[in-house]
Amino acid sequence: MNVIDVQWTVQYRIKDPVHFLFKVRDSRQTVRDMAQAPLRRVVDNRPGSDMRTAGRVAQGVTPPDTMTPAFTEANEARQDRARTINPTDCVHA
């Protein structure tokens, strides 16, 4: 199982403050649920490995500080594997 911790900022406009405050059961949770739906769709449609590697740059994904060494080690292992499998594709200094 892959766990991806995603942090995001949501901006929203309230059209009807009375409705929002008094007719929505839990307005804070409602906004959270509505914001999570498209985010989950984007994350769920991509492999976890893509979110940690190539997709990470495109979507600004950053691992939690406690996980950074493990992510770095995994990326280095992938690079070593790629060099071992196809050494001609590597750039030599």
Side-chain angles (χ1 to χ4, degrees):
M1 175 173 89
N2 292 319
V3 175
I4 299 173
D5 182 16
V6 180
Q7 296 179 8
W8 74 100
T9 301
V10 176
Q11 294 181 355
Y12 58 96
R13 187 173 298 137
I14 300 171
K15 281 183 164 181
D16 184 349
V18 173
H19 181 81
F20 184 74
L21 290 172
F22 300 111
K23 297 196 179 186
V24 176
R25 182 170 296 184
D26 184 351
S27 55
R28 183 179 177 142
Q29 186 64 41
T30 299
V31 170
R32 180 182 174 90
D33 292 345
M34 290 175 64
Q36 279 185 351
L39 180 66
R40 286 178 187 229
R41 194 167 35 251
V42 169
V43 173
D44 287 349
N45 288 333
R46 300 182 74 91
S49 59
D50 188 40
M51 294 303 294
R52 293 186 306 267
T53 57
R56 175 180 165 191
V57 175
Q59 295 186 21
V61 176
T62 308
D65 291 340
T66 56
M67 295 299 295
T68 300
F71 277 79
T72 301
E73 187 177 327
N75 285 332
E76 289 172 355
R78 282 188 194 92
Q79 292 171 4
D80 289 345
R81 180 177 181 260
R83 279 192 293 271
T84 301
I85 292 172
N86 201 351
T88 59
D89 286 346
C90 296
V91 177
H92 295 83

